Amino acid sequence: EPEVTQTPSHQVTQMGQEVILRCVPISNHLYFYWYRQILGQKVEFLVSFYNNEISEKSEIFDDQFSVERPDGSNFTLKIRSTKLEDSAMYFCASRDNRDSPLHFGNGTRLTVT
Amino acid sequence: GEDVEQSLFLSVREGDSSVINCTYTDSSSTYLYWYKQEPGAGLQLLTYIFSNMDMKQDQRLTVLLNKKDKHLSLRIADTQTGDSAIYFCAESIRNYGQNFVFGPGTRLSVLP
């Protein structure tokens, strides 16, 4: 069964550095998402992306964050000038239409030191 | 605002049934979902139900939806130690466009 893949599985970075989290959504899916889960807390919506543009974003998704679909297969989340509180598990998800379930990747654990 | 609530912990004995409950607030939800998260892993879609259905059964899993009370439950029959995980309820909210709202998750512990 096709799946969403995320790399790396774990990223350690120093405060103030930039990171790029990578995702390959399921190939025929059109809607892409990023969520994050701070340890022990809820899964929080960050951003949704459709037709090469952001369709929805949460308050968390401020100017520090950006997303890109640089080619036909990858979907990236860039976090500029990372802060300690950005440490979390970041999940990418995709679906083929707006009424179908989200399919999640296994996540990237980001640790900011 | 829209919110999804779940009890945080549930312990059952192996072989018993587990019932995980969820309440939600948005009556315009179109689909409601159950995801499973094992330690250190991603969110695995278990099952989902369309909002005009009352019940859905899939092998050991039974989902019950009471739309009037905005209550969703997941029953796992013959619970096994491999079912130990965090179970998240989620709703798909049209008013917010295309994003999901997750509950806090219920940690299911299965005792031998």
Side-chain angles (χ1 to χ4, degrees), chain B residues 18-79:
Chain B
S18 309
V19 179
I20 302 170
N21 294 301
C22 169
T23 56
Y24 60 97
T25 56
D26 195 312
S27 57
S28 65
S29 299
T30 47
Y31 286 91
L32 295 127
Y33 303 84
W34 286 103
Y35 284 85
K36 177 183 180 182
Q37 186 180 36
E38 296 183 32
L43 295 161
Q44 175 198 351
L45 175 67
L46 277 183
T47 186
Y48 62 100
I49 188 167
F50 187 47
S51 57
N52 70 353
M53 295 171 65
D54 298 323
M55 185 181 95
K56 181 178 179 182
Q57 186 149 5
D58 184 1
Q59 299 182 330
R60 290 191 298 125
L61 305 178
T62 304
V63 178
L64 294 177
L65 175 61
N66 181 329
K67 201 170 178 186
K68 175 175 161 289
D69 294 338
K70 299 192 186 72
H71 182 266
L72 182 73
S73 67
L74 173 69
R75 179 175 179 269
I76 306 172
D78 187 24
T79 315

Side-chain angles (χ1 to χ4, degrees), chain A residues 31 35 37 56 95 99 102, chain B residues 31 35 94 96 98 100:
Chain A
Y31 297 82
Y35 285 79
Q37 186 183 29
E56 198 92 33
R95 57 176 159 175
D99 287 327
L102 285 178
Chain B
Y31 286 91
Y35 284 85
R94 283 223 177 236
Y96 278 107
Q98 301 162 60
F100 278 29

